[in-house]
Amino acid sequence: MMLLLQDFDFGEPLAPAPVSFSLEAPGWQYVWMLLIALTGLILVVQFYKYKKNAYRREAIQMIDSTQASLSERVRLCNKLLKKVALKSISRTDLSRSSMDMLTLLNDRTSKSLFDQKDLEIMQSVNYGSDLYNENELKDHIERVKYWIKNHKAL
């Protein structure tokens, strides 16, 4: 059997013709068009998100740029919190009682931010009573800013 295979001469192996590599080939043009279209789509989506979240940036900027007293800043925070909440929570849900509003606000973030104390701060500052110390009011302002930045919009 080995003797029979040695008698045959197969010659040079047959290889396909060389294929030229060129980025101008039609397949590569499709790939480039697809990448450009995908990049354009990503840019449009990011721009849309940026425009959609403009109200968040404006609210945070208003809070940070206010040079008023601490109680005035808390009043401004409460006002902006309500405005932003109206954009992100349906009006029928907001028309519930005040404790339900805190629950609705807490449901819009990944962690529960507001409690009964925050509700009391909101109410007492609106009526001119300064029952809370400076640190509690600053913490409340920071929680409002965090909520505005991180709430889930509609």
Side-chain angles (χ1 to χ4, degrees):
M1 182 88 154
M2 289 298 242
L3 187 60
L4 290 175
L5 288 178
Q6 289 175 353
D7 292 339
F8 292 107
D9 183 20
F10 292 109
E12 290 291 319
L14 298 176
V19 177
S20 65
F21 178 79
S22 171
L23 293 178
E24 290 85 25
W28 283 109
Q29 290 177 356
Y30 294 132
V31 169
W32 292 123
M33 287 190 305
L34 181 66
L35 286 175
I36 290 170
L38 190 60
T39 303
L41 180 67
I42 290 171
L43 288 174
V44 167
V45 168
Q46 290 297 323
F47 181 72
Y48 176 74
K49 285 181 183 180
Y50 177 80
K51 295 291 278 183
K52 186 178 174 184
N53 290 324
Y55 72 96
R56 295 178 196 235
R57 291 187 303 277
E58 291 170 4
I60 297 298
Q61 183 180 14
M62 284 179 68
I63 293 170
D64 289 339
S65 66
T66 302
Q67 299 297 325
S69 67
L70 195 56
S71 61
E72 287 296 320
R73 287 185 70 202
V74 171
R75 281 191 198 103
L76 176 65
C77 283
N78 295 341
K79 180 180 166 184
L80 291 173
L81 180 65
K82 289 175 185 175
K83 281 186 175 184
V84 171
L86 284 173
K87 285 186 174 279
S88 66
I89 301 173
S90 69
R91 292 176 189 267
T92 56
D93 290 340
L94 279 176
S95 65
R96 297 180 186 172
S97 69
S98 59
M99 190 57 199
D100 284 341
M101 181 180 169
L102 292 181
T103 305
L104 289 170
L105 291 174
N106 286 333
D107 288 344
R108 290 286 174 187
T109 57
S110 59
K111 61 182 181 180
S112 190
L113 293 173
F114 301 108
D115 56 7
Q116 188 64 31
K117 186 177 181 181
D118 289 301
L119 178 63
E120 292 169 3
I121 289 174
M122 286 181 208
Q123 291 172 347
S124 69
V125 170
N126 285 337
Y127 295 114
S129 174
D130 293 328
L131 300 175
Y132 298 95
N133 66 31
E134 187 176 324
N135 289 335
E136 290 172 331
L137 295 178
K138 285 182 180 179
D139 288 343
H140 176 72
I141 291 171
E142 290 303 316
R143 282 192 293 274
V144 169
K145 286 170 53 175
Y146 182 86
W147 189 89
I148 291 172
K149 285 181 188 176
N150 298 308
H151 74 276
K152 298 173 199 150
L154 287 175

